[in-house]
Amino acid sequence: MHRYEVMFIIRPDLPEEEIEKLVSQMEGYVAAAGGKIEKTEKMGRRKLAYRISRQRDGFYVLLILEGVPGTVVELERRLRVTDTVLKFITIRTDEEQKRGAKLAQIREKKAARRKAGPAHSPAPAAEASQQA
């Protein structure tokens, strides 16, 4: 099972009930495909960076889910054929967490080496300057 974030933008002229219905349908598709919704965040109506299908605004929704790649393929297919969805993007986040954990380990090793002290002492350099 992998972890994904799916963000999609819904047409802003839809009533609130239709938005709720669409979001619950998408959650149902994920559950039917064997996935599990961890979080649904309705981010609300926001201005788009550029016009999409003659729309200047859109209603943003973020789904954080866990599932196999087939789950995401089915969800993306449903989003693609739904007329009220303007755009969507899917990101696999478990790889980012692994990369972050690996970077944290590297930082810890470097910090441990710094605390252990330098490999050479500054005393011989000071003696060389006194001899001159």
Side-chain angles (χ1 to χ4, degrees):
M1 298 277 272
H2 302 290
R3 187 179 163 114
Y4 297 93
E5 289 183 3
V6 180
M7 179 174 278
F8 54 97
I9 305 170
I10 303 171
R11 295 178 65 91
D13 53 356
L14 259 100
E16 187 68 32
E17 303 84 43
E18 291 292 321
I19 292 173
E20 293 291 330
K21 182 179 172 185
L22 180 66
V23 171
S24 64
Q25 278 181 343
M26 295 304 159
E27 290 173 344
Y29 296 144
V30 170
K36 183 179 90 173
I37 298 286
E38 292 183 9
K39 183 178 178 184
T40 301
E41 186 176 334
K42 296 176 188 121
M43 301 173 76
R45 186 178 172 151
R46 296 178 180 227
K47 185 174 179 175
L48 300 172
Y50 54 91
R51 285 186 180 191
I52 302 172
S53 301
R54 299 183 185 155
Q55 299 292 324
R56 291 184 183 266
D57 296 332
F59 192 91
Y60 284 70
V61 179
L62 174 68
L63 296 178
I64 300 174
L65 59 103
E66 213 172 278
V68 295
T71 305
V72 175
V73 169
E74 177 63 19
L75 179 63
E76 285 181 345
R77 187 185 73 76
R78 299 285 181 147
L79 287 169
R80 198 173 287 116
V81 300
T82 305
D83 293 335
T84 56
V85 174
L86 299 175
K87 291 274 184 186
F88 67 91
I89 188 169
T90 304
I91 300 170
R92 184 173 162 190
T93 57
D94 58 350
E95 290 178 349
E96 295 295 324
Q97 291 172 345
K98 287 180 190 176
R99 188 176 303 130
K102 189 174 182 178
L103 288 173
Q105 286 179 341
I106 292 170
R107 282 190 217 113
E108 288 173 6
K109 286 180 184 178
K110 285 182 181 179
R113 278 191 251 143
R114 276 191 236 122
K115 285 185 180 179
H120 64 286
S121 72
E127 291 174 11
S129 65
Q130 290 175 353
Q131 292 176 357

